[in-house]
Amino acid sequence: MVSSLDVAKLAGVSQATVSRVLNNSPKVTEKTKKKIYAAIDELGYYPNLIARSLVTNENRTIALISGAINNDFYVETTESIVKKANELGYSVIVYFAEENQPINIFDSIKGSNVSGILLSSIFLEDSLLGELEKSGIPYIFFNRRPTKGGNYVVLDNKKASYLNAKHLIELGHTRIAYISNEFSNISTLYERKLGFDKAMRKYHLDNEKYTRVIDGTEENLKRTIDELIHLKIPPTSIICTTDHMAMISMDYLISKGIQIPEDISLTGFDNNKITAHQAIQLTTVSHNEKYNIGRIAAENLFEMIENPTKENGNNIQIVLEPKLFKRSTTGKGK
C-alpha cells in the first residue's frame, strides 16, 4: 500500500510537507504543491481519511441528499458542492433521492459521524426537520424550506414567479399556461404558484383554464403540452416551473413544427447552464449571485462546521433576490 512517506520520497520533500498539502495548508509554495500532486498521481496515493478521522476525532465528510440526477439543476448543484468541499479538504457522500426518500436516507447516515448534511428536499410539514434538529448535525436545506424554522438557502420564489408572469404580460400575452408538478407540500412550487396568481390578480387575468398540475414524468408533460396547443383557443405562452420541464417542452413543441417564440413563448425557472446555450436561449428566472444555490448553501454549511460557536452560526435563513434572464424564447403576444 502506498503511503504518504512514499509520496514524500518521490517528491523530494518531508512527510510533514505532504501532510500540509493534504490539509490545504497555505504554508506550502505552489511549486512544491505541484511536485507533491505529481507524485500522488504517479503513485496512485489516496489519503486514509478514515484512519485520520479516528486519530484526530475529526471526520471531514459531509452528506449531500440531492434530487434526481436527470434534472440539470441537481447535477449542477452537486458538482458545485463537491468542488467547494474538495477545496476545503472535505469528502462528499452523494445520495440522489426521490421526493419521499430523504427521511430514510437520513436514518442510514445519521450514525456515520458526518460533519454536516446538505439537502435539496424538505416538505412544508416534514418530520425530517425535527430529526435533523435532534441529531445536532449541522445541516442546510437548499432550494426548499419548511413552513417554520430550519436552516435554508432559497430563491424568493414568489417574487421570481411574479417577475416571470409580468414579463410575458408586458409582452402582450394574456393567455398564459402554467405547468407545475404537484406543489401543495413543496415550498418552491407552492411559492411559485402564489407569485403567478398574484400577477394574474394584479393584471386582472384569469388563466385557470390554462393551469396544469401534473406528476412530472416526461410522457405526461408532453401529453399536457399537446392538450394545451390543441385547445380551441390555445395559450400564447407557457410558464414551466423548472428549466428541466421547459427544455422538454421546447423539444416537443419544435418536434411538432411549432416555432418559439413566433407561435408560442416559453419560460422556465433556475437558469441552468444549458439554458444560456446559443442554440437554446431560454428565458428563465433565478438569482443574480456569482455561484449557484448549492454552492451558496455549501459555503454556509462549512462555516457552520468550522465555526460552531459563532453567534447565529446555526441560524441560516437566506432568501436570494430573483432576476429575470430575458432570452430568445419569449416574444410579443398575439
Side-chain angles (χ1 to χ4, degrees):
M1 182 179 291
V2 178
S3 70
S4 60
L5 181 59
D6 297 319
V7 173
K9 286 179 179 178
L10 182 58
V13 299
S14 69
Q15 192 173 10
T17 302
V18 173
S19 179
R20 289 191 193 98
V21 169
L22 293 175
N23 286 284
N24 294 298
S25 171
K27 297 179 180 179
V28 184
T29 66
E30 287 301 316
K31 182 178 179 181
T32 300
K33 286 181 181 178
K34 287 180 181 178
K35 287 198 300 182
I36 291 172
Y37 287 135
I40 288 171
D41 288 340
E42 184 174 336
L43 294 172
Y45 172 65
Y46 296 93
N48 192 335
L49 297 176
I50 296 174
R52 186 171 72 185
S53 70
L54 291 173
V55 173
T56 63
N57 197 31
E58 177 187 30
N59 185 2
R60 296 181 71 82
T61 302
I62 67 166
L64 166 62
I65 305 178
S66 177
I69 196 171
N70 66 340
N71 187 330
D72 283 344
F73 173 83
Y74 294 118
V75 174
E76 291 174 17
T77 51
T78 297
E79 179 184 18
S80 63
I81 288 167
V82 171
K83 183 177 180 181
K84 180 61 180 178
N86 291 340
E87 288 174 5
L88 298 176
Y90 283 81
S91 299
V92 184
I93 305 171
V94 182
Y95 301 86
F96 290 103
E98 298 299 329
E99 286 293 351
N100 60 346
Q101 289 182 316
I103 185 66
N104 298 326
I105 293 173
F106 173 68
D107 285 341
S108 70
I109 66 175
K110 63 184 176 183
S112 61
N113 195 33
V114 294
S115 298
I117 305 175
L118 287 168
L119 310 92
S120 64
S121 281
I122 181 75
F123 293 124
L124 288 169
E125 305 292 340
D126 201 320
S127 61
L128 177 58
L129 176 60
E131 293 294 320
L132 282 163
E133 297 283 3
K134 283 192 296 184
S135 74
I137 303 171
Y139 73 90
I140 295 183
F141 299 109
F142 65 95
N143 197 47
R144 300 279 179 83
R145 59 178 167 181
T147 301
K148 295 180 181 178
N151 301 312
Y152 54 79
V153 180
V154 297
L155 179 68
D156 186 335
N157 284 292
K158 184 176 179 180
K159 188 172 182 179
S161 192
Y162 182 87
L163 288 175
N164 204 333
K166 181 173 179 282
H167 168 62
L168 291 170
I169 293 166
E170 289 179 342
L171 286 172
H173 294 274
T174 56
R175 303 196 306 276
I176 304 171
Y178 186 87
I179 306 176
S180 174
N181 289 331
E182 171 55 44
F183 55 77
S184 61
N185 204 23
I186 296 174
S187 66
T188 308
L189 302 179
Y190 176 75
E191 291 164 9
R192 287 176 184 176
K193 183 60 164 59
L194 290 178
F196 177 75
D197 290 344
K198 180 181 177 181
M200 295 303 101
R201 290 193 302 272
K202 169 74 174 179
Y203 292 94
H204 308 291
L205 298 175
D206 180 7
N207 283 291
E208 277 302 309
K209 61 187 173 185
Y210 299 123
T211 296
R212 300 291 185 274
V213 180
I214 64 175
D215 67 6
T217 64
E218 184 170 335
E219 293 74 17
N220 202 14
L221 176 56
K222 289 178 179 178
R223 281 197 296 270
T224 300
I225 294 290
D226 205 55
E227 176 199 343
L228 286 168
I229 61 178
H230 286 98
L231 290 173
K232 186 175 182 180
I233 304 177
T236 60
S237 58
I238 299 173
I239 294 176
C240 292
T241 49
T242 67
D243 285 345
H244 177 66
M245 295 175 71
M247 294 290 289
I248 294 171
S249 300
M250 179 186 293
D251 181 64
Y252 185 72
L253 287 165
I254 292 172
S255 75
K256 295 299 179 181
I258 296 173
Q259 294 182 301
I260 303 170
E262 292 82 1
D263 298 325
I264 196 165
S265 289
L266 181 68
T267 71
F269 289 84
D270 297 329
N271 194 33
N272 294 340
K273 289 179 182 177
I274 190 65
T275 62
H277 191 287
Q278 290 302 309
I280 296 170
Q281 288 292 293
L282 176 70
T283 295
T284 184
V285 184
S286 184
H287 59 79
N288 197 29
E289 302 291 329
K290 180 179 180 181
Y291 296 112
N292 69 36
I293 201 167
R295 168 78 178 230
I296 296 169
E299 289 175 345
N300 281 274
L301 178 67
F302 291 124
E303 180 66 22
M304 291 171 68
I305 295 169
E306 302 284 352
N307 298 289
T309 60
K310 181 180 177 182
E311 186 177 358
N312 294 325
N314 291 317
N315 185 26
I316 306 296
Q317 295 185 342
I318 298 172
V319 180
L320 302 171
E321 188 71 14
K323 177 185 176 180
L324 176 73
F325 294 84
K326 300 178 185 178
R327 298 192 182 119
S328 302
T329 60
T330 49
K332 291 189 177 297
K334 298 177 182 178

